[in-house]
Amino acid sequence: MSNAKVVLEPAFQGVGHKPGTEIWRIEDFKPVPLPKSDYGKFYCGDSYIVLQTTCNKGGAYLLDIHFWIGKDSSQDEAGTAAIKTIELDTMLGGRAVQHREPQGYESDKFLSYFKPCIIPMEGGFASGFKKPEEEKFETRLYICKGKRAIRVKEVPFSRSSLNHDDVFILDTEKKIYQFNGANSNIQERAKALEVIQHLKEKYHDGVCNVAIVDDGKLQAESDSGEFWVLFGGFAPIGKKAVSDDDVVLETTAPKLYSINNGQLKLEDIVLTKSILENTKCFLLDCGAELFVWVGRVTQVEDRKTASAAVEKFIIKENRPKTTRITQVIQGYENHTFKSKFESWPASSTAGNSNTEEGRIKVTALLKQKGVDVKGISKSSAPVNDEVPPLLDGGGKLEVWCINGSAKTALPKEELGKFYSGDCYIVLYTYHSGDKKEEFYLTYWIGKHSVREDQEMVFQIANTLWNSMKGRPVLGRIYQGKEPPQFVALFQPMVILKGGISSGYKKFVEEKGQKDETYCADGIALIRVSGTSVHNNKTLQVDAVSTSLSSTDCFILQSKNVMFTWIGNSSSYEQQQWAGKVAEFLKGTESSTFWSAIGGKQNYTSKNVSTDVAIREPHLYTFSLRNGKLEVTEVFNFSQDDLLTEDTMILDTHSEVFVWMGQGVETKEKQKAFEIGEKYVEHAVAFEGISPDVPLYKVIEGNEPCFFRTYFSWDSTRSVIHGNSFEKKLSVLFGMRSEGGPKSSGDGGPTQRASALAALSSALNPSSQGKQSDERPPSSGDGGHTQRASAMAALSSSINTSSKSQTQSHSGQGSQRAAAVAALSNVLTAEGSHSPHHGRGSPTADAAKTELAPASPPPEIEPDATETGRTEPDVSQEQTANENGGQTIFSYERLISKSTDPVSGIDYKRRETYLADSEFQTVFGMTKEEFYEQPRWKQELQKKKADLF
């Protein structure tokens, strides 16, 4: 943009060139880079600018700029942050999405950068705030709101701040209390536990007791007693007073205003994409949120004028100062903005330019390293493409063809043959890496199948799913959109013309059409275009020479004679697959071949088009309003966002999953495909996905590997029962300690967690489980106190991270025995005496318990395709022996197209042999940051860097 040089800001130079977060604070009306150690710290008296850079699957950088305004920040500072945000966007090419983030009303996307939460602190730069380490510890009371993006606010440390509807955290020097209001949300209770862990790590060096206090229950217990003493003694708490925080702005029907010279004009017209002119700015008013749309060819001053006009609009319309504003640039509109229009026709321009931009960056890097880059910018995909997660082999495969109202099992020799006029059910039973029996159940719909068969195949597949108690993943697959996991089951998979079902035969007869159903002694031309087990689709095409392509292999069946025709641009892998498909008698191109397909004519040299997913995966919650599906994105999602009471939608562009937690009602689980179909209809209109995209129903605890790959997955969590709060509580108490004493003979963390959840439920059937790290011995009065003592004994014996204040060494065996005895008495008789139990004394350096997932217990092997870093199969010693003692190599020698390749390395893990400095240059991040990403992102980046 021509104005870019005029607004150059020294603090912004060189930013936005690698994935990650960069933050500036406004000091004396200038942006000053914040030290990374201070990321996540926000002061109420300041304004900040946050730049988030992400790399998409096409290789291009996507940019989001947020300016955060503290509640006590001056108007001038807030204005400076807004102006500097525009200048930063200009320096980055004018394609960033801009977000106005008022304190306490931050967007979910902004909060997702700072999980689990941000807790703004009083003070600011101008007021000369003290650093936290200079302050004496002060007891603080916080209120927590939000099911996924949690908002934490400090409130006065007073009984009057408490109410029955919210979740509170009281942070004292020795113990952190969570107070669950009687009417509070289960999922907010679960999220508050993450905040407790954050406070424990940040302000208590990981060493501090944690107690749960349930509103109105077990008032005689020590934790409750201690809690209320801090408030001056127990007394009833009042009803919740309505505050500004509780006012939820209503989302209204969108209104579009054009902005010309700072003046707004209402456009009373149906909202379509074509209205938005690239020379103008527009305001989209949705009530709860405002969007400013900026045309690609607008100037910087136009954008600043539009921004100022929107601020005036807020004042004029008497909107709260906390109203969120998002500015989007033409071609980079987010999902929320697009969904406000009647439809949003897909345009491939942005995606193609993003992909090309990524190729240019890789090409430049390779040139810089002296590598031959001839042809790298072409769009042809390499043969050695990324292999997606496939189902474990060696399982049992069953296939049925729908015939009327029944299903007919296919014999083994027919497995892999699909007729385009028929529908099929496929069930694959296999054992995963942890020896668990899993099921892959799908139904396949042929392109020319009749409506009656399509409806029947769903009914029968759903009945089979119900009979198996919902354990299988259930998928709907249309011909031509087969996912790799489905294709890989058949070696090979061949789609033939016509159909064998009675429904198809009747349809052809009624329409007076010619029945072109494949027969073994007829003439058929079959195209082989796949290169490996997961994409070896083979399709019968019209037996004419114009069907041929030099990029594929073909098999011609002429009665009892088989020919293989090899395109001169086909790959060796395709030629191998052609042999498997035909079981051919080796032959060459001959006159007999040409006569069978009507004579030699021109044939194409173009590739058959394939679907390439260039979008990042997206996770959504949804709601149905007047029959219309409305979705809300969960940003920077993780396994923690899959809450057991919810139904979620995961859209990877290549497939759509409807995930349902165990807490979802059975009746609702039957509606999964109805929900999925509504979402696909929505995504076709606004995201350009195919209406025939594979659609899966997945139930919590039965997630397949190709779903788990989009998360850093911890399989041990699936065995923990209970609601979201109970599950999170179990994870907190059942985690392995880093460096602390490991339990032995008690089944490991998973067993401890499950036991705690089950016992919590048994002891407190009407509440959400009550855990404590420290409780005094029971006085023998039975009832609630006895139950509390038993629970304390259990917690004390299980939770190896607790820091007991009593220095007694009674030993782990006697401690466990005491816990068992206490629990036995409680479960046997409510009124019996609860024995005094000893409490162990961990050493001063006892390890801290982390809420985030730890590595699986020793008896469970981690799945290398799902989480974290996997070590090379080739040992360092072997590599060193073959390379004169060397184990670190240059980028030029490690790439797959190297002219001087290294030997004796694990070729699946080429990047591990890079020096740290060169790794940073190639990937734009450290090795630690790289391996913290989901596995699919790692593989994508390795592919772009030619290290796959």
Side-chain angles (χ1 to χ4, degrees):
M1 205 174 281
S2 60
N3 302 50
K5 291 184 179 179
V6 179
V7 294
L8 277 178
E9 171 60 58
F12 294 150
Q13 294 209 22
V15 304
H17 295 311
K18 64 178 182 179
T21 307
E22 296 169 270
I23 305 179
W24 298 263
R25 180 169 56 215
I26 303 301
E27 299 179 7
D28 295 328
F29 307 107
K30 292 182 180 179
V32 177
L34 205 63
K36 285 193 180 292
S37 59
D38 286 342
Y39 281 18
K41 295 179 183 177
F42 293 88
Y43 287 88
C44 302
D46 289 329
S47 293
Y48 298 79
I49 296 174
V50 177
L51 170 64
Q52 184 72 17
T53 306
T54 54
C55 183
N56 73 1
K57 285 193 173 184
Y61 287 148
L62 304 179
L63 305 166
D64 285 274
I65 308 175
H66 307 255
F67 60 101
W68 186 89
I69 304 170
K71 65 181 178 65
D72 300 325
S73 178
S74 69
Q75 189 64 41
D76 290 339
E77 278 190 341
T80 300
I83 295 300
K84 292 299 179 183
T85 293
I86 296 173
E87 292 179 8
L88 174 58
D89 180 30
T90 302
M91 290 184 65
L92 294 169
R95 55 192 174 87
V97 178
Q98 299 176 29
H99 312 260
R100 179 180 187 265
E101 306 284 359
Q103 178 183 338
Y105 299 86
E106 298 87 354
S107 65
D108 289 358
K109 189 166 196 175
F110 178 83
L111 293 175
S112 73
Y113 308 147
F114 308 101
K115 289 186 175 182
C117 65
I118 62 171
I119 306 178
M121 296 176 283
E122 293 297 324
F125 174 77
S127 60
F129 55 80
K130 291 181 179 180
K131 292 187 177 180
E133 55 266 26
E134 298 173 357
E135 297 177 356
K136 184 180 178 181
F137 188 92
E138 183 180 341
T139 297
R140 298 177 188 273
L141 182 65
Y142 302 99
I143 186 171
C144 302
K145 295 184 178 182
K147 292 165 55 175
R148 288 182 178 82
I150 191 162
R151 290 164 176 81
V152 182
K153 177 184 176 182
E154 184 177 355
V155 293
F157 177 26
S158 166
R159 186 200 316 277
S160 60
S161 295
L162 302 175
N163 62 63
H164 300 293
D165 299 315
D166 291 314
V167 180
F168 296 83
I169 293 174
L170 180 62
D171 185 12
T172 72
E173 191 168 7
K174 299 296 184 183
K175 186 180 284 191
I176 304 176
Y177 300 85
Q178 176 170 323
F179 177 80
N180 297 325
N183 304 322
S184 61
N185 182 280
I186 288 292
Q187 295 171 339
E188 286 188 344
R189 297 183 189 186
K191 275 295 174 182
L193 288 170
E194 294 183 25
V195 178
I196 287 179
Q197 188 68 14
H198 171 71
L199 294 172
K200 183 176 176 180
E201 298 296 332
K202 189 169 183 179
Y203 299 113
H204 299 268
D205 297 324
V207 180
C208 146
N209 291 322
V210 175
I212 308 299
V213 178
D214 286 327
D215 180 15
K217 297 175 184 175
L218 305 179
Q219 302 301 336
E221 290 192 26
S222 62
D223 286 333
S224 295
E226 291 172 2
F227 177 80
W228 289 112
V229 164
L230 293 169
F231 288 92
F234 174 75
I237 56 177
K239 291 185 177 180
K240 181 177 181 177
V242 178
S243 66
D244 291 342
D245 294 347
D246 300 307
V247 176
V248 178
L249 293 178
E250 183 182 355
T251 299
T252 58
K255 297 177 182 178
L256 187 69
Y257 297 83
S258 58
I259 306 175
N260 294 296
N261 298 320
Q263 301 300 312
L264 274 63
K265 177 188 174 185
L266 178 63
E267 303 288 343
D268 191 10
I269 191 172
V270 176
L271 296 185
T272 61
K273 183 181 178 182
S274 59
I275 300 171
L276 305 173
E277 303 175 34
N278 62 4
T279 59
K280 292 183 178 181
C281 296
F282 291 84
L283 168 65
L284 185 67
D285 177 13
C286 304
E289 187 170 10
L290 303 179
F291 293 90
V292 180
W293 184 91
V294 176
R296 285 302 300 271
V297 297
T298 53
Q299 298 298 309
V300 178
E301 292 307 317
D302 295 332
R303 300 181 184 190
K304 289 183 178 180
T305 302
S307 180
V310 173
E311 293 286 351
K312 291 178 182 177
F313 175 83
I314 290 176
I315 296 171
K316 179 183 176 183
E317 295 291 318
N318 200 26
R319 301 287 174 86
K321 290 182 179 180
T322 53
T323 302
R324 282 206 306 271
I325 304 173
T326 302
Q327 178 175 304
V328 295
I329 190 74
Q330 182 181 5
Y332 295 89
E333 298 88 352
N334 59 24
H335 179 90
T336 308
F337 178 83
K338 290 189 286 188
S339 65
K340 304 298 182 183
F341 289 72
E342 288 294 313
S343 66
W344 194 273
S347 171
S348 60
T349 307
N352 290 342
S353 63
N354 289 348
T355 305
E356 188 59 29
E357 181 184 331
R359 290 197 192 98
I360 291 170
K361 287 182 178 179
V362 174
T363 304
L365 177 61
L366 294 174
K367 277 184 177 179
Q368 182 183 345
K369 296 290 182 181
V371 178
D372 181 11
V373 294
K374 183 179 180 181
I376 195 169
S377 63
K378 294 182 180 178
S379 60
S380 57
V383 171
N384 186 18
D385 59 348
E386 181 183 355
V387 179
L390 303 177
L391 305 178
D392 291 332
K396 178 184 178 183
L397 179 63
E398 299 170 271
V399 182
W400 297 269
C401 180
I402 298 302
N403 196 4
S405 59
K407 64 182 195 294
T408 304
L410 297 189
K412 187 175 181 180
E413 60 273 15
E414 293 291 309
L415 297 182
K417 287 184 181 178
F418 292 82
Y419 289 87
S420 65
D422 293 333
C423 295
Y424 297 82
I425 293 174
V426 176
L427 174 63
Y428 181 61
T429 306
Y430 63 102
H431 288 82
S432 58
D434 58 0
K435 308 304 180 186
K436 175 186 174 184
E437 188 174 52
E438 297 191 29
F439 305 93
Y440 179 74
L441 175 63
T442 58
Y443 60 98
W444 184 90
I445 299 175
K447 192 170 290 185
H448 301 114
S449 59
V450 297
R451 172 63 60 184
E452 291 79 7
D453 284 353
Q454 294 177 15
E455 293 173 352
M456 184 55 62
V457 74
F458 168 70
Q459 291 179 23
I460 295 177
N462 199 51
T463 300
L464 182 57
W465 183 84
N466 286 326
S467 71
M468 299 176 75
K469 303 188 185 306
R471 290 178 63 193
V473 55
L474 177 59
R476 181 200 69 188
I477 296 170
Y478 283 107
Q479 177 185 333
K481 295 292 181 181
E482 295 84 359
Q485 295 78 23
F486 183 88
V487 175
L489 295 177
F490 306 97
Q491 301 300 314
M493 175 183 176
V494 184
I495 300 176
L496 303 169
K497 290 193 170 199
I500 57 176
S501 67
S502 58
Y504 176 79
K505 296 293 185 187
K506 180 181 178 182
F507 174 81
V508 170
E509 183 181 348
E510 289 177 351
K511 295 294 182 180
Q513 298 175 354
K514 180 183 178 182
D515 189 348
E516 296 184 322
T517 301
Y518 167 88
C519 59
D521 57 355
I523 294 177
L525 183 64
I526 297 171
R527 185 183 70 218
V528 180
S529 54
T531 58
S532 55
V533 293
H534 64 279
N535 66 7
N536 65 90
K537 297 179 189 177
T538 303
L539 179 68
Q540 182 180 354
V541 295
D542 292 336
V544 292
S545 61
T546 52
S547 296
L548 300 175
S549 166
S550 62
T551 60
D552 292 324
C553 295
F554 289 80
I555 298 157
L556 176 65
Q557 173 189 300
S558 181
K559 297 185 178 178
N560 296 323
V561 182
M562 303 288 284
F563 299 92
T564 300
W565 185 90
I566 297 174
N568 58 18
S569 296
S570 62
S571 68
Y572 173 75
E573 290 85 358
Q574 286 174 298
Q575 297 165 24
Q576 293 292 100
W577 278 112
K580 288 188 178 183
V581 172
E583 298 179 356
F584 66 100
L585 296 172
K586 190 172 182 180
T588 57
E589 189 176 300
S590 65
S591 57
T592 310
F593 176 93
W594 289 114
S595 63
I597 58 173
K600 186 171 184 177
Q601 300 173 34
N602 290 333
Y603 52 84
T604 182
S605 59
K606 295 180 180 178
N607 278 310
V608 177
S609 62
T610 56
D611 293 322
V612 180
I614 60 171
R615 284 201 315 129
E616 299 290 299
H618 295 270
L619 184 69
Y620 298 103
T621 61
F622 70 91
S623 60
L624 290 170
R625 188 170 298 179
N626 299 323
K628 183 181 178 183
L629 186 79
E630 295 182 359
V631 299
T632 303
E633 183 166 1
V634 179
F635 298 99
N636 294 316
F637 61 83
S638 67
Q639 187 180 356
D640 281 335
D641 293 308
L642 301 175
L643 301 177
T644 193
E645 297 85 8
D646 283 353
T647 297
M648 310 288 292
I649 295 170
L650 177 65
D651 176 5
T652 73
H653 200 72
S654 298
E655 64 262 304
V656 171
F657 298 91
V658 179
W659 180 91
M660 295 185 144
Q662 292 288 359
V664 175
E665 293 183 7
T666 303
K667 187 187 299 184
E668 292 301 311
K669 289 178 181 176
Q670 299 298 327
K671 298 178 181 178
F673 278 96
E674 181 183 334
I675 294 166
E677 285 167 357
K678 283 183 180 292
Y679 173 77
V680 170
E681 182 182 330
H682 170 91
V684 167
F686 297 104
E687 296 296 341
I689 73 169
S690 167
D692 296 337
V693 66
L695 177 62
Y696 289 103
K697 171 166 65 173
V698 179
I699 302 300
E700 180 184 11
N702 297 302
E703 296 88 352
C705 61
F706 54 97
F707 176 89
R708 300 192 301 260
T709 191
Y710 295 101
F711 301 80
S712 292
W713 197 263
D714 178 7
S715 298
T716 62
R717 295 190 180 195
S718 61
V719 301
I720 302 174
H721 302 290
N723 60 38
S724 296
F725 176 68
E726 290 166 340
K727 283 174 177 281
K728 184 66 69 174
L729 199 58
S730 298
V731 169
L732 177 64
F733 278 84
M735 294 298 293
R736 295 174 64 190
S737 297
E738 294 182 352
K742 302 288 190 296
S743 62
S744 58
D746 61 354
T750 304
Q751 192 174 5
R752 289 199 301 274
S754 300
L756 191 62
L759 285 163
S760 174
S761 179
L763 294 171
N764 297 294
S766 62
S767 70
Q768 306 305 325
K770 186 169 182 64
Q771 314 297 341
S772 169
D773 284 325
E774 180 186 9
R775 298 178 192 230
S778 170
S779 58
D781 57 349
H784 294 322
T785 308
Q786 184 181 22
R787 196 180 274 120
S789 298
M791 210 62 203
L794 175 68
S795 297
S796 181
S797 66
I798 289 177
N799 187 7
T800 58
S801 67
S802 63
K803 296 282 291 180
S804 175
Q805 304 301 314
T806 306
Q807 301 297 315
S808 103
H809 293 266
S810 57
Q812 193 177 40
S814 59
Q815 186 181 19
R816 192 176 289 117
V820 171
L823 286 166
S824 175
N825 281 341
V826 169
L827 295 172
T828 304
E830 276 292 320
S832 66
H833 177 71
S834 176
H836 182 97
H837 63 277
R839 285 176 290 177
S841 175
T843 58
D845 62 347
K848 56 196 176 187
T849 299
E850 292 190 0
L851 190 60
S855 57
E859 62 270 21
I860 299 178
E861 291 294 328
D863 187 342
T865 64
E866 293 167 21
T867 61
R869 179 175 182 171
T870 55
E871 295 302 321
D873 295 331
V874 181
S875 68
Q876 278 200 338
E877 183 180 356
Q878 183 180 341
T879 302
N881 288 340
E882 293 197 27
N883 293 277
Q886 188 178 357
T887 56
I888 299 295
F889 306 96
S890 67
Y891 176 71
E892 295 92 328
R893 296 193 64 196
L894 288 170
I895 59 174
S896 61
K897 297 185 179 68
S898 175
T899 55
D900 181 25
V902 183
S903 60
I905 64 170
D906 184 344
Y907 295 105
K908 295 179 182 177
R909 308 290 296 172
R910 296 173 188 265
E911 80 284 358
T912 59
Y913 302 96
L914 285 169
D916 290 346
S917 58
E918 194 160 25
F919 191 99
Q920 179 92 34
T921 302
V922 173
F923 292 103
M925 65 185 76
T926 64
K927 287 185 179 180
E928 289 72 19
E929 292 169 336
F930 179 83
Y931 289 115
E932 284 175 359
Q933 301 179 112
R935 185 55 180 263
W936 66 268
K937 273 197 175 182
Q938 297 176 28
E939 295 300 325
L940 181 67
Q941 290 164 352
K942 284 161 58 177
K943 185 175 178 181
K944 283 185 226 164
D946 198 28
L947 288 169
F948 61 94

